[in-house]
């Protein structure tokens, strides 16, 4: 994989930038001149790893936050948080949430390798339990994180989509069915639990220690492009997502929020920046092969994942922008960061290959081999039925 444009690589170093998410202090001087923090107590689920760990550290360091309650199945590294070790599906979580003003629910399993039924059971049941427990504990706001994928990737989508756009995704892509169910629970919760407010944050393609079908797309030796499609790439760095979640926690903005870099990249720009050449296939061939490969267990990604590389699902993020939030990262910078993260990994049709496998298969040869394997299996099944 060749290096991205040198200007993009240089742009990664943005440590000397001022942070755009200004944080006006809510601290006030108490008796004797001491500082009394009057901000909210915030509980974070899934706090030991990933976005949850990053947000926990961020909130624990924020002077607007009075206290952070961290909940996970193992203890994380944030010493400033108060830790509770339990599964979010355990109804006992209600006791751990007492005294919290806001809950940010980030305990989701979107791992490509997880059994789909087990993943759904964890994600949906966990969200149901957290919403019910939050209401029982007197929490007044729950912040949920889904994905901009819930809007669906469709050829007629506007560029960009507004937050109020209809959710037209189907359950055919990895984890999207779970996210749509979580969105449904979010809409129902305020009616079922009067006084409970729910904010939903929907990030674009998330980058920064993540592993999804969309990040694996950039681990391939060739970028698969479906003939006649109109891809538009918008990314979201986890740092920007955490800043957006903090805005929601502090009630600077509420409702349904989309978050991502400003603008988007066309497929040709992506190819130029990555230095990875395309492999173009007819729609019927690409979708048919993806479906067969997934059905016989050769790849973890269902054919529905392909739609998100074919058609636009770019979001405007207007509500966060109106509230004063700005992304620190550009699409070009996040793409460069992603390339650095996936360097040395080899993926074909969503399936991770070892270095030896990738070298033996060759660049385009690995794709041909997988497609050929699907055809062989199909012919063998037909022969058995005769």
């Amino acid at each position: 994989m060749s290096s991205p444009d040198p200007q993009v690589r240089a742009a990664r170093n943005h440590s000397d930038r001022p942070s755009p998410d200004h944080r006006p202090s809510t601290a006030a001087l108490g008796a004797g001149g001491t500082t009394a923090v009057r901000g909210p107590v915030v509980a974070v689920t899934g706090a030991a790893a990933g976005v949850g760990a990053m947000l926990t550290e961020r909130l624990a360091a924020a002077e607007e936050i009075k206290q952070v309650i961290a909940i996970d199945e193992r203890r994380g590294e944030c010493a400033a948080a108060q830790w509770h070790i339990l599964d979010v599906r355990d109804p006992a979580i209600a006791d751990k949430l007492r005294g919290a003003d806001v809950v940010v629910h980030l305990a989701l399993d979107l791992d490509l390798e997880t059994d789909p039924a087990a993943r759904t059971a964890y994600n949906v049941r966990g969200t149901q339990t957290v919403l019910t427990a939050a209401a029982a504990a007197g929490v007044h706001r729950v912040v949920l994180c889904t994905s901009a994928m819930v809007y669906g990737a469709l050829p007629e989508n506007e560029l960009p989509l507004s937050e109020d756009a209809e959710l037209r995704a189907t359950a055919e892509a990895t984890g999207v069915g779970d996210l749509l169910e979580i969105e449904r629970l979010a809409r129902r919760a305020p009616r079922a639990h009067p006084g409970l407010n729910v904010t939903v944050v929907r990030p674009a393609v998330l980058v920064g220690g993540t592993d999804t079908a969309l990040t694996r797309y950039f681990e391939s030796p060739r970028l698969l492009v479906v003939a006649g499609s109109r891809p538009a790439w918008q990314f979201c760095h986890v740092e920007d997502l955490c800043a957006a979640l903090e805005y929601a926690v502090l009630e600077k903005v509420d409702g349904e929020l989309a978050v991502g870099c400003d603008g988007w990249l066309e497929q040709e720009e992506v190819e130029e920046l990555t230095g990875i050449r395309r492999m173009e296939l007819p729609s019927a061939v690409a979708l048919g092969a993806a479906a067969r490969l997934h059905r016989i267990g050769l790849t973890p990604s269902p054919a529905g994942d392909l739609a998100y590389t074919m058609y636009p699902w770019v979001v405007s993020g207007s509500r966060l922008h109106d509230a004063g939030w700005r992304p620190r990262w550009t699409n070009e910078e996040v793409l460069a960061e992603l390339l650095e993260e996936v360097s040395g990994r080899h993926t074909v049709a969503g399936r991770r290959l070892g270095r030896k496998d990738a070298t033996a298969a060759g660049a385009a040869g690995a794709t041909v081999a997988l497609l050929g394997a699907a055809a062989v299996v199909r012919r063998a099944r037909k022969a058995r039925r005769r």
Side-chain angles (χ1 to χ4, degrees):
M1 181 187 298
S2 60
S3 299
D5 186 279
Q7 292 181 342
V8 175
R9 184 175 291 277
R12 293 192 188 120
N13 184 14
H14 55 281
S15 57
D16 57 345
R17 293 186 197 163
S19 176
D21 49 304
H22 306 293
R23 303 181 182 180
S25 175
T26 59
L29 286 179
T34 59
T35 299
V37 178
R38 298 186 300 200
V41 175
V42 184
V44 180
T45 69
V51 178
M54 185 177 294
L55 181 67
T56 299
E57 292 282 0
R58 181 186 181 97
L59 295 179
E63 59 183 18
E64 299 96 331
I65 304 299
K66 183 177 181 180
Q67 183 186 13
V68 178
I69 299 170
I71 298 173
D72 210 319
E73 294 176 54
R74 63 179 178 85
R75 186 183 180 88
E77 296 181 359
C78 182
Q82 176 185 340
W83 284 90
H84 295 294
I85 313 303
L86 80 166
D87 188 313
V88 291
R89 294 169 292 182
D90 187 340
I93 194 173
D95 292 332
K96 313 305 180 185
L97 297 180
R98 297 197 186 279
D101 301 295
V102 183
V103 175
V104 185
H105 178 47
L106 297 173
L108 294 179
D109 181 3
L110 298 176
D111 193 323
L112 286 169
E113 312 295 341
T114 301
D115 174 73
R119 182 173 59 217
T120 296
Y122 180 81
N123 291 337
V124 176
R125 180 61 178 168
T127 303
Q128 287 175 325
T129 304
V130 167
L131 288 168
T132 302
V139 174
H140 78 268
R141 179 175 299 277
V142 174
V143 181
L144 302 176
C145 187
T146 61
S147 168
M149 294 175 78
V150 296
Y151 290 108
L154 301 164
E156 65 271 20
N157 276 351
E158 294 183 356
L159 282 167
L161 292 162
S162 72
E163 275 108 341
D164 292 328
E166 182 183 355
L167 306 188
R168 298 198 291 165
T170 66
E172 295 173 355
T174 303
V176 173
D178 295 358
L179 300 180
L180 289 170
E181 182 61 20
I182 289 169
E183 293 268 354
R184 189 182 70 83
L185 293 171
R187 291 191 297 272
R188 289 179 52 192
R191 299 195 298 270
H193 308 290
L196 181 66
N197 299 295
V198 179
T199 298
V200 179
V201 181
R202 301 165 179 158
V205 179
L206 195 59
V207 174
T210 58
D211 177 25
T212 67
L214 294 168
T215 58
R216 287 191 184 189
Y217 178 81
F218 295 94
E219 299 177 16
S220 299
R222 295 284 186 270
L223 297 180
L224 174 62
V225 176
V226 176
S229 64
R230 182 172 63 103
W233 290 91
Q234 181 187 37
F235 300 97
C236 178
H237 196 277
V238 291
E239 290 178 358
D240 286 335
L241 173 58
C242 286
L245 290 168
E246 185 179 4
Y247 261 61
V249 164
L250 295 175
E251 300 185 30
K252 297 179 181 181
V253 62
D254 60 12
E256 290 81 31
L257 312 174
V259 55
C261 300
D262 291 336
W264 62 90
L265 298 173
E266 303 288 351
Q267 182 71 24
E268 292 75 16
E269 294 176 283
V270 166
E271 291 169 19
E272 181 179 353
L273 290 166
T274 62
I276 308 174
R277 289 182 291 171
R278 69 168 60 193
M279 182 181 69
E280 191 163 318
L281 292 176
S283 175
V285 173
L287 293 171
R292 290 193 298 273
L293 291 172
H294 181 66
R295 189 166 57 248
I296 63 178
L298 284 178
T299 64
S301 298
D305 287 345
L306 263 185
Y308 291 89
T309 71
M310 294 170 60
Y311 302 118
W313 47 291
V314 173
V315 290
S316 69
S318 58
R319 286 185 183 142
L320 279 163
H321 280 71
D322 290 346
W325 175 91
R326 295 292 183 274
R328 286 190 70 186
W329 293 72
T330 67
N331 282 303
E332 291 85 353
E333 291 167 351
V334 180
L335 179 56
E337 178 83 2
L338 174 57
L339 291 178
E340 195 168 87
E341 281 191 9
V342 305
S343 177
R345 299 177 189 168
H346 306 280
T347 295
V348 174
R351 173 180 173 245
R352 282 257 171 85
L353 302 177
R355 184 179 298 275
K356 184 182 295 185
D357 293 333
T359 302
T367 299
V368 173
L370 284 177
L371 296 177
V376 168
V377 171
R378 189 172 69 255
R379 286 197 298 270
R381 285 177 176 171
K382 286 182 178 178
R384 286 198 299 268
R385 289 197 295 265
R386 289 173 185 170

